[in-house]
Amino acid sequence: MIRSHKDLIVYQLSMELVIDVYRITEAFPKEELYGLTAQIKRACVSVPSNIAEGAGRRGKAEFTRFLYIAMGSLSEVDTQLEIAGRLSFFKADESVFKKINLIKNMIAKLIKSLGE
């Protein structure tokens, strides 16, 4: 098993995504502070948090469960950023969406490697 969740590249990339999302949401309209902005940030922070929590639990089944939660949060972030882009809250470039897909693929492979 891993020594620390911080050793996982998927955890490191998800932490980078949090920084990306915080920077992106800085430009969102102020009236969205408690709406879409807060929701995206909360979902994004959930990704590395669930990876860390799952890695800290006993057993593969628990780790896998938290990885699935992280995957769901990633889908939320993806959808919310798409909405924000369609509302012209930011100029949506492909890099953030590519990072989301990369993290999703890495989580899927990690789940598979755990035998689930």
Side-chain angles (χ1 to χ4, degrees):
M1 206 69 174
I2 59 170
R3 287 178 298 188
S4 169
H5 60 277
K6 293 180 181 181
D7 295 333
L8 295 170
I9 294 170
V10 68
Y11 170 82
Q12 296 164 14
L13 285 174
S14 65
M15 290 293 283
E16 287 178 20
L17 181 63
V18 171
I19 303 305
D20 295 344
V21 165
Y22 268 72
R23 288 189 177 132
I24 288 168
T25 58
E26 284 177 354
F28 283 18
K30 295 301 171 208
E31 60 268 14
E32 284 297 325
L33 186 62
Y34 300 106
L36 193 55
T37 304
Q39 184 124 4
I40 292 172
K41 287 179 177 180
R42 195 170 26 256
C44 196
V45 167
S46 175
V47 178
S49 298
N50 277 292
I51 293 169
E53 186 170 356
R57 299 286 180 129
R58 280 192 285 167
K60 293 178 182 180
E62 280 193 276
F63 191 14
T64 299
R65 183 170 65 88
F66 281 93
L67 290 173
Y68 277 117
I69 294 168
M71 184 83 81
S73 294
L74 263 178
S75 293
E76 242 187 289
V77 172
D78 185 44
T79 300
Q80 293 160 353
L81 284 174
E82 184 179 342
I83 291 166
R86 288 180 182 205
L87 291 169
S88 300
F89 290 173
F90 78 110
K91 186 178 179 199
D93 67 21
E94 288 299 309
S95 65
V96 71
F97 294 105
K98 283 181 180 178
K99 189 175 282 183
I100 289 169
N101 286 328
L102 174 62
I103 294 168
K104 279 184 182 181
N105 289 333
M106 292 177 82
I107 291 174
K109 287 178 183 176
L110 183 53
I111 290 168
K112 188 174 181 178
S113 77
L114 292 170
E116 297 296 319

